[in-house]
């Protein structure tokens, strides 16, 4: 609508002024979305591209771009076209402010306090509430008001339980439908510039094949708009991340009286300190997913 375009152009103008102000005040130092000059504790080479293979076939490819302060500024997915060629799809760009952040494609906002997202919402659809236990994300609640003609409000809950600096259990609930992952960890440090949990959520768990078997057909909207609810891990605003990379995962799906548990293991190919590939193997050792990482020069 015209009002929506005018509203967003106003935000872009504010973003431009804020960016100029940041450059004047802070020079070229890296600043987290919550404010404050920091040095990144993670490995210096940044992820440039991730290719995803499902059952041995390439299923996804995404490029990541960064601003002068090392923050993710653009995500560019590539999709398989009608002529078996991979072409850029719609991009998501991010605008940073001192106490909030905007994803400009879906016009989704994140309110930031002390470097952590506390609420998220978009122009007319959803609100997301975040709760923390200290620096660790404890719960995430998505409240959907997508259809204006509906009187009911859909709610999706995600709960996170940390133990010894690692995410021990992740649970997603909606009504009597549940999807839960229990993690065990090895000795590989989770030191890439983007939290590995984001890639697990985006490509494996969140409304993809595994959780989709529970939630698909229950709420089509959530599956279509999942990205908005994952970007806080991509952008590093979801609190403290797991210290290590997962070594194994036990996935349980329950839908009313039906319940199924599957076991997966993670196998990493390393180049020095960097992960070049992560393979996710099922209980019989068959590769379910493989993620291939390329880094900036």
């Amino acid at each position: 609508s015209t009002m929506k375009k005018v509203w967003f152009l106003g935000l872009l103008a504010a973003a431009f002024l804020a960016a100029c102000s940041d450059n004047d005040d802070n020079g070229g130092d890296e600043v987290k979305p919550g404010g404050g000059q920091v040095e990144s504790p993670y490995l210096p080479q940044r992820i440039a591209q991730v290719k995803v293979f499902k059952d041995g076939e390439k299923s996804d490819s995404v490029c990541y771009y960064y601003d002068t302060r090392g923050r993710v500024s653009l995500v560019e997915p590539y999709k398989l076209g009608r002529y078996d060629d991979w072409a850029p799809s719609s991009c998501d760009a991010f605008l940073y402010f001192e106490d909030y952040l905007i994803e400009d494609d879906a016009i989704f906002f994140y309110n930031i306090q002390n470097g952590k997202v506390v609420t998220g919402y978009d122009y007319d659809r959803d609100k997301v509430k975040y709760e923390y236990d200290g620096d660790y994300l404890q719960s995430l609640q998505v409240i959907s008001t997508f259809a204006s003609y509906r009187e009911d409000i859909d709610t999706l809950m995600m709960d996170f339980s940390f133990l010894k600096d690692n995410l021990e259990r992740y649970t997603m609930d909606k009504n009597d439908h549940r999807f839960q992952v229990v993690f065990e960890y090895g000795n590989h440090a989770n030191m890439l510039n983007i939290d590995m949990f984001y890639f697990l959520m985006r490509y494996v768990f969140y409304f993809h094949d595994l959780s989709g078997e529970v939630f698909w057909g229950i709420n089509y909207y959530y599956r279509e708009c999942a990205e908005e609810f994952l970007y806080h891990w991509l952008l590093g605003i979801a609190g403290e991340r797991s210290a290590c990379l997962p070594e194994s995962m036990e996935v349980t799906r329950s839908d009313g009286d039906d319940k199924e548990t599957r076991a997966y293991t993670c196998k990493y190919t390393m180049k020095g300190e960097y992960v070049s590939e992560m393979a996710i193997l099922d209980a019989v050792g068959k590769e379910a997913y493989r993620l291939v990482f390329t880094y900036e020069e």
Side-chain angles (χ1 to χ4, degrees):
S1 67
T2 302
M3 285 299 297
K4 189 172 183 178
K5 291 180 180 178
V6 171
W7 176 76
F8 184 58
L9 288 173
L11 291 175
L12 288 177
F16 176 77
L17 293 174
C20 293
S21 176
D22 284 348
N23 287 334
D24 291 341
D25 295 340
N26 299 308
D29 296 332
E30 181 178 353
V31 178
K32 281 188 174 180
Q37 298 178 6
V38 298
E39 293 184 4
S40 172
Y42 306 115
L43 294 171
Q45 278 190 290
R46 299 174 297 205
I47 296 170
Q49 185 180 33
V50 176
K51 296 179 181 178
V52 182
F53 297 81
K54 181 181 180 297
D55 298 326
E57 298 290 333
K58 185 177 177 182
S59 63
D60 209 346
S61 179
V62 180
C63 293
Y64 298 91
Y65 301 91
Y66 303 87
D67 64 15
T68 57
R69 296 175 178 177
R71 303 170 297 192
V72 175
S73 60
L74 184 70
V75 176
E76 184 177 45
Y78 283 70
K79 300 297 182 184
L80 186 61
R82 67 176 63 183
Y83 302 109
D84 292 331
D85 58 333
W86 288 82
S89 181
S90 59
C91 300
D92 287 331
F94 301 94
L95 307 174
Y96 292 84
F97 299 82
E98 182 178 356
D99 56 359
Y100 63 97
L101 188 155
I102 301 173
E103 188 271 295
D104 71 348
D105 182 37
I107 315 182
F108 201 83
F109 295 82
Y110 300 93
N111 290 326
I112 312 295
Q113 291 182 7
N114 300 318
K116 300 191 293 288
V117 58
V118 291
T119 55
Y121 55 93
D122 68 5
Y123 182 72
D124 59 1
R125 289 195 308 240
D126 303 290
K127 181 177 181 179
V128 186
K129 296 173 62 177
Y130 304 81
E131 298 289 341
Y132 294 85
D133 182 6
D135 289 330
Y136 292 96
L137 183 63
Q138 187 176 44
S139 67
L140 181 161
Q141 181 183 26
V142 182
I143 303 172
S144 174
T145 57
F146 173 55
S148 59
Y149 59 85
R150 280 175 19 192
E151 295 182 359
D152 63 313
I153 297 177
D154 285 334
T155 300
L156 180 76
M157 286 294 300
M158 299 183 190
D159 293 301
F160 308 89
S161 176
F162 282 83
L163 179 66
K164 296 181 179 178
D165 299 330
N166 288 310
L167 178 64
E168 179 189 30
R169 184 176 63 255
Y170 151 62
T171 306
M172 179 166 59
D173 284 296
K174 187 176 186 297
N175 300 328
D176 59 343
H177 308 280
R178 168 169 286 198
F179 179 79
Q180 180 174 275
V181 185
V182 177
F183 298 90
E184 292 188 359
Y185 293 84
N187 297 320
H188 291 300
N190 185 17
M191 290 295 291
L192 302 183
N193 71 296
I194 298 175
D195 187 355
M196 186 65 78
F197 188 66
Y198 165 73
F199 297 108
L200 288 172
M201 289 287 285
R202 185 183 194 279
Y203 297 112
V204 182
F205 297 138
Y206 193 78
F207 293 115
H208 248 265
D209 296 296
L210 298 178
S211 59
E213 293 172 6
V214 176
F215 290 91
W216 177 255
I218 298 170
N219 196 321
Y220 177 81
Y221 166 68
Y222 282 133
R223 185 179 175 110
E224 288 296 290
C225 301
E227 280 297 292
E228 301 171 351
F229 312 138
L230 305 183
Y231 276 145
H232 43 267
W233 286 293
L234 169 69
L235 304 171
I237 56 175
E240 195 70 34
R241 64 164 70 174
S242 290
C244 299
L245 298 177
E247 191 173 73
S248 65
M249 302 170 288
E250 184 179 81
V251 179
T252 301
R253 305 180 300 106
S254 58
D255 185 354
D257 295 330
D258 296 329
K259 184 176 180 180
E260 180 185 359
T261 298
R262 303 178 187 178
Y264 295 88
T265 57
C266 298
K267 182 179 179 181
Y268 300 94
T269 302
M270 307 295 294
K271 286 188 177 180
E273 298 179 284
Y274 293 84
V275 177
S276 60
E277 295 187 8
M278 177 179 67
I280 299 176
L281 311 178
D282 64 17
V284 297
K286 180 183 176 182
E287 181 180 287
Y289 290 89
R290 177 163 49 95
L291 278 65
V292 179
F293 297 86
T294 303
Y295 298 87
E296 293 181 337
E297 296 296 334

